Amino acid sequence: MQQKTKLFLQALKYSIPHLGKCMQKQHLNHYNFADHYYNRIKLKKYHLTKCLQNKPKISELARNIPSRSFSCKDLQPVKQENEKPLPENMDAFEKVRTKLETQPQEEYEIISVEVKHGGFVYYQEGCCLVRSKDEEADNDNYEVLFNLEELKLDQPFIDCIRVAPDEKYVAAKIRTEDSEASTCVIIKLSDQPVMEASFPNVSSFEWVKDEEDEDVLFYTFQRNLRCHDVYRATFGDNKRNERFYTEKDPSYFVFLYLTKDSRFLTINIMNKTTSEVWLIDGLSPWDPPVLIQKRIHGVLYYVEHRDDELYILTNVGEPTEFKLMRTAADTPAIMNWDLFFTMKRNTKVIDLDMFKDHCVLFLKHSNLLYVNVIGLADDSVRSLKLPPWACGFIMDTNSDPKNCPFQLCSPIRPPKYYTYKFAEGKLFEETGHEDPITKTSRVLRLEAKSKDGKLVPMTVFHKTDSEDLQKKPLLIHVYGAYGMDLKMNFRPERRVLVDDGWILAYCHVRGGGELGLQWHADGRLTKKLNGLADLEACIKTLHGQGFSQPSLTTLTAFSAGGVLAGALCNSNPELLRAVTLEAPFLDVLNTMMDTTLPLTLEELEEWGNPSSDEKHKNYIKRYCPYQNIKPQHYPSVHITAYENDERVPLKGIVSYTEKLKEAISEHAKDTGEGYQAPNIILDIQPGGNHVIEDSHKKITAQIKFLYEELGLDSTSVFEDLKKYLKF
């Protein structure tokens, strides 16, 4: 189920055209249910190990943008003897950037994808796909299976690995950080491993074994960000490759998911509000698939399997939030679904994992995290409230039926391991070094009252010893689209800001998914302005409670979060001093009118159809950032855009920037001499990926911009960044 929910979210993620418009996996998703490349972060002593999981996460399936994976160059230490003296006339920022690029980083160690199968661990080492014995995974004793450089890509990395059931083959999806295009390579495992085949533009893929003990690879093909075709292939002496399924409705996308017990391969067909699932028997993959339930508009569902029963996470019925159903595998239709477990109202289902005798639900309720452990033998339920500092889960791959491991993290605190042991019925916490941030910072759960009376949750971080918080700089985070939660994963640069005295505030506005499906519904289509009202209320509430002031307040957003950020700059610019936007969706109307763009049809459920619905067109005009630019004083704006971004085309961002500059120039003429015009910076990065989350160039440029706009000394913050960022 864990992967199922993930699966949906992941699928959503792939279905979302403009992560800016939309995430991210993302990227790829908007329901926050699954991202098949979601990260796993390990702590070794005080070294951060960042891995990509081999299974999707329910909460990210929707529309997430995957975090950057690290290439072989990231793993190679820089020789200090190559260090060159820095020119005397170089400013402090440039000196630090140069040091960051030349000095080895000692505190954090970064590795790539890791998958355990049988007695081996498969992962990326340098530019190679390798495997080692499980107990030797941390040593240098490994077998090279494939050299990624054979694909002649620029800094390739692996973001997904699948191993065939009996380990005759391994499939790996390979990408580069500046493109969303991927290549799936099939490696035959033998005394001398060889590449058996390669397929371009593969999205999801899974192995099954047929009645004759032959490995069959099912995979989806993605074209122009759309994923509609499913193929199946065999290798060796009986080589074949054939199209198995094609989805005809352009607003839907297809994603594959193998149930945790490997009993069924599920073909998940979904858009932003509706899903349909077909089952392929893992024992008879050549038989026709079985439909669970034909798509019903507005009904979402995801499927897991255990002991000839299907466990179905769905929003069918009242209330229209997710609940867990159960039915016999041979009678899967909706009329046979029996209610098994109901969530509380305003609860977000983040993930679900299925074990032999237990089902584990990972939940967010009232902006706090919980784990519910359901005993499948006696239907008992144990609800565990997790530490209040925790803001996000990181799911761990796990084949041990006795334990459920996971990690908790926050934007300023690296992940910490927890394990629920079913036999003891207890949650065990990783012992050892306690991060000092727990004593030097505070996390607050606050609420703002929007103008319609709705209470909007906020998560606020600041140093415990800060005096006169009203004089401290404030960085607001917002997203508010696709039912996706604000990303609350650990970000080293956020920690550095808090250490330097900043207040960080995450505003969980309507349109996101923090309070469940209804929270999303209340902020999409002709309710999108609710998200803007929520954001305004959050900032005013923070100021009213003594957190900073407008002249020290900044706002950051990426992708679809740019809609609310840009709208706020038009409606209430006096609340802000500076704004940073990454791959922002700023021209909603013109984008949604252009059906030739790859994802416009998939986005209709989120933004509306202005081409055929005058009501939608007029409503979008009321909040669209590009449409509402006018001569007035604006906050300074720093925009990071990507040259070949297919989700948020560069053309719309450039047009927005030019129009904004013209309005500012016109306002300056009317204001007269002495007017200090805001700075508008458009930083265009090469490549075609939607968001490169860990780009040191982007991070340092954005922080430099914020410090300069607020007139703050940035020397110490850039020195501290060296402790965390690896290049």
Side-chain angles (χ1 to χ4, degrees), residues 197-217:
S198 66
F199 303 126
N201 301 315
V202 169
S203 177
S204 58
F205 55 106
E206 299 285 358
W207 290 100
V208 295
K209 183 178 291 297
D210 67 12
E211 304 92 325
E212 299 180 0
D213 204 35
E214 184 173 38
D215 294 311
V216 184
L217 180 72

Side-chain angles (χ1 to χ4, degrees), residues 592-692:
M592 295 307 299
M593 295 279 286
D594 187 355
T595 57
T596 65
L597 293 174
L599 297 176
T600 295
L601 294 177
E602 295 181 23
E603 298 291 287
L604 297 179
E605 297 276 1
E606 180 71 21
W607 309 101
N609 189 348
S611 296
S612 61
D613 191 319
E614 197 67 19
K615 180 182 177 181
H616 286 169
K617 182 177 182 179
N618 291 333
Y619 191 84
I620 291 173
K621 283 182 178 180
R622 294 172 59 188
Y623 67 81
C624 175
Y626 177 79
Q627 296 294 325
N628 290 281
I629 293 174
K630 58 190 175 185
Q632 63 175 354
H633 179 72
Y634 278 89
S636 293
V637 180
H638 183 286
I639 301 176
T640 305
Y642 300 93
E643 187 177 14
N644 300 312
D645 191 336
E646 295 181 88
R647 297 183 181 275
V648 180
L650 182 60
K651 178 183 177 181
I653 297 176
V654 172
S655 296
Y656 171 87
T657 305
E658 292 175 347
K659 187 175 180 180
L660 181 60
K661 288 182 176 180
E662 290 173 1
I664 290 171
S665 178
E666 185 176 344
H667 177 67
K669 291 178 183 178
D670 295 339
T671 305
E673 294 184 7
Y675 173 67
Q676 184 65 44
N679 293 311
I680 307 299
I681 299 172
L682 175 57
D683 182 9
I684 300 175
Q685 300 285 318
N689 207 347
H690 182 59
V691 172
I692 304 175

Side-chain angles (χ1 to χ4, degrees), residues 414-445:
K416 186 171 186 178
Y417 273 101
Y418 289 79
T419 301
Y420 185 85
K421 297 187 177 182
F422 298 116
E424 291 90 338
K426 295 180 180 179
L427 184 67
F428 291 85
E429 174 181 353
E430 175 191 41
T431 59
H433 173 79
E434 183 65 29
D435 196 299
I437 197 73
T438 58
K439 296 181 179 179
T440 61
S441 68
R442 292 184 65 193
V443 56
L444 305 174
R445 311 288 180 164

Side-chain angles (χ1 to χ4, degrees), residues 164-285:
D166 59 3
E167 295 189 273
K168 291 180 181 177
Y169 297 95
V170 59
K173 188 169 72 170
I174 300 168
R175 296 177 52 226
T176 64
E177 73 170 22
D178 64 352
S179 174
E180 293 194 43
S182 60
T183 298
C184 182
V185 297
I186 314 302
I187 309 301
K188 183 177 182 179
L189 301 175
S190 59
D191 292 339
Q192 293 184 332
V194 295
M195 185 173 73
E196 181 89 0
S198 66
F199 303 126
N201 301 315
V202 169
S203 177
S204 58
F205 55 106
E206 299 285 358
W207 290 100
V208 295
K209 183 178 291 297
D210 67 12
E211 304 92 325
E212 299 180 0
D213 204 35
E214 184 173 38
D215 294 311
V216 184
L217 180 72
F218 285 79
Y219 66 93
T220 55
F221 178 76
Q222 182 170 299
R223 181 189 293 110
N224 295 327
L225 300 180
R226 296 176 179 176
C227 197
H228 294 155
D229 297 317
V230 181
Y231 287 78
R232 59 185 172 190
T234 56
F235 308 94
D237 296 334
N238 187 25
K239 187 174 295 185
R240 60 197 292 187
N241 186 26
E242 61 187 22
R243 185 162 59 181
F244 175 72
Y245 175 87
T246 296
E247 173 56 38
K248 301 298 185 182
D249 190 328
S251 70
Y252 284 75
F253 64 97
V254 184
F255 188 83
L256 302 178
Y257 167 76
L258 188 66
T259 59
K260 189 171 182 181
D261 62 2
S262 300
R263 182 64 179 81
F264 290 103
L265 175 67
T266 64
I267 302 177
N268 300 265
I269 306 158
M270 59 194 73
N271 64 15
K272 307 301 181 289
T273 61
T274 305
S275 61
E276 176 179 289
V277 182
W278 295 73
L279 294 180
I280 296 175
D281 192 331
L283 302 177
S284 304

Side-chain angles (χ1 to χ4, degrees), residues 10 31 42 58 81 107 147 184 238 246 292 315 398 495 556 584:
Q10 185 168 2
Y31 277 97
K42 295 178 178 178
I58 289 183
E81 56 265 29
E107 295 211 18
N147 187 342
C184 182
N238 187 25
T246 296
I292 292 183
N315 67 333
N398 176 50
R495 176 173 181 147
T556 186

Side-chain angles (χ1 to χ4, degrees), residues 36-177:
H36 66 290
Y37 359 19
Y38 71 90
N39 296 355
R40 177 159 61 97
I41 303 177
K42 295 178 178 178
L43 291 178
K44 296 182 179 179
K45 295 182 180 178
Y46 206 56
H47 289 253
L48 180 65
T49 300
K50 187 170 184 177
C51 304
L52 296 178
Q53 286 272 51
N54 69 320
K55 283 293 182 182
K57 175 179 177 183
I58 289 183
S59 49
E60 299 159 350
L61 250 192
R63 190 68 168 163
N64 245 337
I65 294 257
S67 300
R68 173 192 166 209
S69 298
F70 293 83
S71 70
C72 55
K73 290 186 178 180
D74 294 307
L75 300 169
Q76 298 168 350
V78 181
K79 296 180 180 180
Q80 280 200 277
E81 56 265 29
N82 293 337
E83 224 179 282
K84 298 179 180 179
L86 303 178
E88 291 296 326
N89 60 351
M90 186 180 294
D91 67 25
F93 169 76
E94 292 301 331
K95 285 183 180 180
V96 172
R97 173 182 287 181
T98 302
K99 287 182 180 180
L100 289 172
E101 293 173 342
T102 58
Q103 289 184 351
Q105 305 305 307
E106 298 179 354
E107 295 211 18
Y108 288 88
E109 165 191 310
I110 301 172
I111 64 176
S112 57
V113 180
E114 178 184 286
V115 172
K116 293 182 180 180
H117 189 98
F120 291 94
V121 178
Y122 296 78
Y123 56 98
Q124 181 174 337
E125 179 70 27
C127 281
C128 296
L129 170 64
V130 303
R131 72 172 176 178
S132 64
K133 287 290 186 181
D134 197 340
E135 64 272 12
E136 300 171 353
D138 290 331
N139 299 329
D140 293 330
N141 184 17
Y142 52 79
E143 175 188 10
V144 175
L145 303 179
F146 179 69
N147 187 342
L148 276 59
E149 292 180 338
E150 291 183 26
L151 298 177
K152 301 187 184 306
L153 299 174
D154 182 24
Q155 298 188 42
F157 65 85
I158 300 172
D159 73 359
C160 192
I161 296 173
R162 295 287 188 271
V163 184
D166 59 3
E167 295 189 273
K168 291 180 181 177
Y169 297 95
V170 59
K173 188 169 72 170
I174 300 168
R175 296 177 52 226
T176 64
E177 73 170 22

